Amino acid sequence: MKWSKGIIYLCRLIFLINSVYLICILKFDRLVLLLGSLLLTFVPELYTKWTKVNIPIGARLFYTLFIFAAQWLGSYLGFYGYIPCWDVLLHATSGIFIGYVALIILVSLDRSQTLFKQNKIGVIVTFVVAVGIAAAGIWEIIEFSGDVFLGTNAQLGSLQDTMEDIICGTLGSGAFAVYIGLVMKARRRSCIDQLLQINGEKNK
């Protein structure tokens, strides 16, 4: 747990130091990108404070590393242009993580965890896929806005790139939904267990 938090703080420190550097050399074109990315890393803590739903440290670490890879490595350092598969890899990965986010939303809406206790696989899987598809579209809107207003190159100026990203995100969340459906049907331990456990204790 300590090393996980350490990595999260390190990513935030890199965003902060880089932002200060840009201010010192009067380069403000990418400053909004870095500061916005820094603020995004605090979303899990803010969500927990707002909803009282605890998010496992592993999920928080995964989320922070994704922001770091997409914004600092991808947009700021230009990995999207240097590594052809960088964009596709991130979107496929994001689809899997968004599937997990869908579970967090379900726990937020269903505090008694009735859907999970009654093993409502169809409802849970459908919700995961729906959130994944919606998130893939919203993310492309964010990337388009960044390219237009912040001078980033996340979409590579290509409609094909946009559609590939949406497809990869959808497939990622779909694969995660299938995984969730299978482990719930077999009643095996999975990534759901810790999420339910740390939030179920408060409802006892």
Side-chain angles (χ1 to χ4, degrees):
M1 180 180 294
K2 289 183 178 180
W3 65 267
S4 296
K5 289 183 177 180
I7 295 176
I8 292 174
Y9 293 146
L10 177 61
C11 290
R12 291 172 176 172
L13 184 61
I14 291 174
F15 279 129
L16 182 59
I17 292 176
N18 214 158
S19 297
V20 173
Y21 170 74
L22 290 178
I23 293 175
C24 291
I25 64 174
L26 303 179
K27 293 287 186 178
F28 302 110
D29 53 334
R30 297 296 183 91
L31 183 60
V32 176
L33 170 69
L34 294 180
L35 290 178
S37 300
L38 174 62
L39 293 176
L40 283 176
T41 65
F42 289 95
V43 168
E45 287 94 331
L46 294 175
Y47 186 83
T48 294
K49 185 175 182 180
W50 177 47
T51 64
K52 308 303 179 185
V53 172
N54 293 317
I55 301 174
I57 185 62
R60 289 166 48 197
L61 174 62
F62 189 100
Y63 168 78
T64 302
L65 289 176
F66 177 80
I67 295 296
F68 187 80
Q71 302 299 82
W72 197 73
L73 294 177
S75 295
Y76 184 74
L77 294 186
F79 274 39
Y80 287 121
Y82 299 142
I83 304 176
C85 64
W86 190 258
D87 194 37
V88 173
L89 177 63
L90 284 178
H91 279 279
T93 304
S94 71
I96 296 173
F97 183 71
I98 289 300
Y100 188 82
V101 171
L103 297 180
I104 294 175
I105 295 174
L106 273 181
V107 171
S108 303
L109 298 174
D110 181 20
R111 296 303 178 93
S112 62
Q113 302 179 4
T114 303
L115 290 175
F116 297 94
K117 292 177 180 177
Q118 295 183 359
N119 221 32
K120 299 292 185 179
I121 300 175
V123 175
I124 295 173
V125 167
T126 301
F127 186 79
V128 168
V129 173
V131 171
I133 294 173
I138 293 172
W139 183 258
E140 286 306 307
I141 294 175
I142 294 173
E143 283 193 346
F144 174 77
S145 300
D147 289 355
V148 172
F149 298 110
L150 301 179
T152 59
N153 190 35
Q155 291 192 312
L156 305 177
S158 168
L159 175 60
Q160 179 177 344
D161 175 78
T162 299
M163 293 310 301
E164 287 176 352
D165 291 347
I166 292 177
I167 292 172
C168 285
T170 301
L171 291 177
S173 61
F176 183 79
V178 171
Y179 161 74
I180 291 300
L182 291 175
V183 296
M184 288 188 67
K185 185 174 182 179
R187 298 186 181 276
R188 295 178 179 176
R189 291 188 61 81
S190 67
C191 61
I192 306 176
D193 297 319
Q194 186 182 13
L195 176 65
L196 296 180
Q197 182 179 0
I198 63 177
N199 289 287
E201 291 174 350
K202 297 183 301 182
N203 297 324
K204 292 181 179 180

